[in-house]
């Protein structure tokens, strides 16, 4: 909403009972403000992911504190750690079980590229099996880095043509 | 039982004539023929107080070596507070096998599964000899000398996922690597790239160029 109003809250004296906006803005606002992560903690990055959820870093400030251990209830898979080839199909299957729309954060060097594990056992980047929206560098990244990735992903979500995808019957996700 | 290497050897040789001394930089170590290995290990457990199996592992000496594979048992005595290393060579260089000691120490179960997984040494009479690290159906044994560190291209464990993603367990890109050297080829401390700029210590000054 573009007004000269500088009040942070909704003000009935100015707006009355009507708010004019765009469907995209509303849908994306809803989606980006309540991202329920699927914590795919596979290695030490998982510990930093847990720290992000705790009070010092407080991922709840960005509406993503509801870690869901069921893919059916999750919006965003945070792949935190080394993905071995043995684990890779399970990661993909859990991703497949998540409901649209869904996003993926590759947290840390291992999930992004295989990291220091240049070996026969390690998938060289989780983007080989699932589409990744945001990569986080670090080994492991600090919680601030994960929160930054989360903010970047929120910005990305807010740019998506959500209404057209939802109501226009177009293909589900433009990842 | 005293754990001086010479005494260990003579004490064991009284009962097992085939046991021979094995050069060791740390703890007492003995070689034993594979056929006598279980009897010796049982003797060590029941008569010598080696009640704790620390480790079961294997060695691939080289592709052309014969015997190519050895099995190593590390024992610890909680009574005498000492370690003992027992080594036995596998008879076959192509289908190596060894007797399982999972019946003596339950701890051997997973150690033997790992040794089987990574070196391909089969443990006879093991209760459940499946792979433990690599997936079921993986066709290689990665710690063998003829297996490249980067890996060999094989399908993913789940064929359906492999079909959808078109991903395989492809060889890892070895940019500037692999960061390993064969034994004796060069000093391993210097072979490690990380060590190239940190390889100063009390004997070698830090280079000025850094």
């Amino acid at each position: 909403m573009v007004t000269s109003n500088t009040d942070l809250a909704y003000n009935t004296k100015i707006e009355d009972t009507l708010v004019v906006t765009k469907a995209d803005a509303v849908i994306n606002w809803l989606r980006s403000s309540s991202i329920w992560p699927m914590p795919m903690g596979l290695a030490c990055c998982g510990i930093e992911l847990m720290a992000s959820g705790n009070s010092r870093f407080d991922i709840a400030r960005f509406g993503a504190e509801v870690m869901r251990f069921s893919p059916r209830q999750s919006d965003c898979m945070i792949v935190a750690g080394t993905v071995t080839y043995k684990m890779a199909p399970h990661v993909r299957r859990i991703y497949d079980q998540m409901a649209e729309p869904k996003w993926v954060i590759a947290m840390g060097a291992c999930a992004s590229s295989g990291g220091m594990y240049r070996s026969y056992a390690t998938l060289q980047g989780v983007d080989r099996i699932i589409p990744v929206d945001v990569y986080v560098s670090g080994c492991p990244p600090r919680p601030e880095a994960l929160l930054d990735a989360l903010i970047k992903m929120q910005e990305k979500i807010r740019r998506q043509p959500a209404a057209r995808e939802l109501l226009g019957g177009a293909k589900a996700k433009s990842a | 039982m005293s754990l001086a290497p010479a005494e260990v050897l003579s004490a064991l040789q009284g009962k097992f004539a085939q046991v021979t001394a094995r050069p060791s930089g740390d703890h007492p170590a003995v070689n034993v023929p594979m056929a006598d290995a279980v009897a010796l290990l049982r003797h060590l457990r029941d008569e010598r107080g080696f009640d704790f199996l620390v480790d079961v592992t294997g060695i691939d000496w080289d592709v052309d070596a014969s015997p190519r594979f050895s099995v190593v048992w590390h024992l610890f005595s909680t009574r005498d507070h000492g370690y003992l290393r027992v080594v036995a060579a596998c008879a076959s260089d192509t289908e190596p096998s060894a007797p399982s000691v999972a019946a003596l120490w339950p701890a051997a179960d997973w150690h033997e599964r790992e040794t089987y997984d990574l070196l391909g040494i089969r443990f006879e009479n093991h209760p459940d000899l499946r792979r433990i690290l690599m997936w079921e159906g993986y066709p290689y044994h990665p710690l063998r000398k003829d297996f490249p560190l980067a890996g060999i291209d094989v399908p993913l464990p789940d064929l359906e996922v492999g079909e959808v993603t078109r991903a395989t367990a492809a060889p890892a890109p070895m940019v500037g690597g692999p960061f390993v050297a064969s034994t004796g080829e060069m000093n391993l401390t210097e072979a490690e790239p990380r060590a190239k700029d940190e390889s100063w210590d009390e004997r070698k000054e830090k280079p000025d160029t850094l």
Side-chain angles (χ1 to χ4, degrees), chain B residues 27-205:
Chain B
H27 307 294
V30 294
N31 286 315
V32 64
M34 193 60 89
D36 294 341
V38 171
L40 175 72
L41 290 164
R42 186 187 295 278
H43 171 74
L44 287 168
R45 186 191 70 161
D46 295 340
E47 316 285 333
R48 301 277 170 185
F50 285 99
D51 47 356
F52 182 31
L53 180 76
V54 181
D55 191 20
V56 180
T57 183
I59 305 171
D60 178 359
W61 290 104
D62 207 344
V63 178
D64 305 321
S66 187
R68 182 176 170 184
F69 295 99
S70 293
V71 179
V72 184
W73 294 271
H74 287 108
L75 307 182
F76 181 74
S77 168
T78 55
R79 189 186 69 192
D80 301 319
H81 310 296
Y83 289 93
L84 178 67
R85 182 180 299 122
V86 178
V87 183
C90 296
S92 169
D93 294 338
T94 49
E95 303 274 323
S97 72
S100 170
V101 293
L104 296 180
W105 294 276
D109 188 334
W110 282 18
H111 287 301
E112 289 175 353
R113 281 179 63 188
E114 183 178 348
T115 309
Y116 162 68
D117 186 357
L118 299 180
L119 283 167
I121 298 171
R122 293 199 70 86
F123 286 86
E124 308 299 336
N125 298 321
H126 188 281
D128 182 24
L129 194 65
R130 285 178 295 130
R131 284 180 177 273
I132 193 168
L133 294 171
M134 305 304 283
W135 59 93
E136 283 297 313
Y138 187 72
Y140 304 105
H141 300 290
L143 286 193
R144 287 191 175 186
K145 293 289 186 209
D146 48 2
F147 185 89
L149 174 63
I152 297 171
D153 205 343
V154 292
L156 286 184
D158 189 323
L159 294 177
E160 201 180 309
V161 168
E163 197 179 317
V164 171
T165 61
R166 293 197 299 279
T168 58
M174 287 291 172
V175 183
F179 303 129
V180 291
S182 302
T183 321
E185 195 176 282
M186 62 181 100
N187 183 327
L188 285 178
T189 310
E190 290 166 8
E192 193 71 28
R194 186 188 57 195
K196 286 196 170 75
D197 55 359
E198 295 175 353
S199 54
W200 60 90
D201 52 27
E202 61 274 15
R203 281 164 298 176
K204 188 174 159 193
E205 291 288 327

Side-chain angles (χ1 to χ4, degrees), chain A residues 85-90 92-93 96 117-124 128-130, chain B residues 132-133 135 142 147 149-151 156-158 160-161 164-165 169-170 172-174:
Chain A
Y85 284 120
K86 194 176 183 180
M87 188 66 189
H90 306 291
R92 172 69 199 200
R93 283 198 182 270
D96 284 342
Y117 298 104
R118 293 268 178 268
S119 90
Y120 55 88
T122 307
L123 184 70
Q124 300 296 306
R128 296 192 178 205
I129 53 165
I130 54 178
Chain B
I132 193 168
L133 294 171
W135 59 93
F147 185 89
L149 174 63
L156 286 184
D158 189 323
E160 201 180 309
V161 168
V164 171
T165 61
M174 287 291 172

Side-chain angles (χ1 to χ4, degrees), chain A residues 28-35 60 62-65 154 157-158:
Chain A
N28 288 337
W29 173 66
L30 291 168
R31 284 179 176 171
S32 64
S33 309
S34 65
I35 299 167
F62 310 99
E65 78 281 14
Q154 288 179 325
I157 292 171
R158 286 180 188 137

Side-chain angles (χ1 to χ4, degrees), chain A residues 65-141:
Chain A
E65 78 281 14
V66 194
M67 300 279 172
R68 289 286 118 173
F69 294 88
S70 161
R72 313 275 184 208
Q73 303 170 351
S74 311
D75 303 309
C76 167
M77 179 187 269
I78 301 177
V79 184
T82 318
V83 186
T84 60
Y85 284 120
K86 194 176 183 180
M87 188 66 189
H90 306 291
V91 174
R92 172 69 199 200
R93 283 198 182 270
I94 291 169
Y95 173 80
D96 284 342
Q97 288 167 8
M98 289 164 61
E100 296 276 0
K102 54 191 172 185
W103 297 273
V104 176
I105 294 177
M107 179 181 179
C110 293
S112 301
S113 70
M116 65 177 186
Y117 298 104
R118 293 268 178 268
S119 90
Y120 55 88
T122 307
L123 184 70
Q124 300 296 306
V126 75
D127 54 4
R128 296 192 178 205
I129 53 165
I130 54 178
V132 175
D133 294 281
V134 183
Y135 299 85
V136 191
S137 64
C139 184

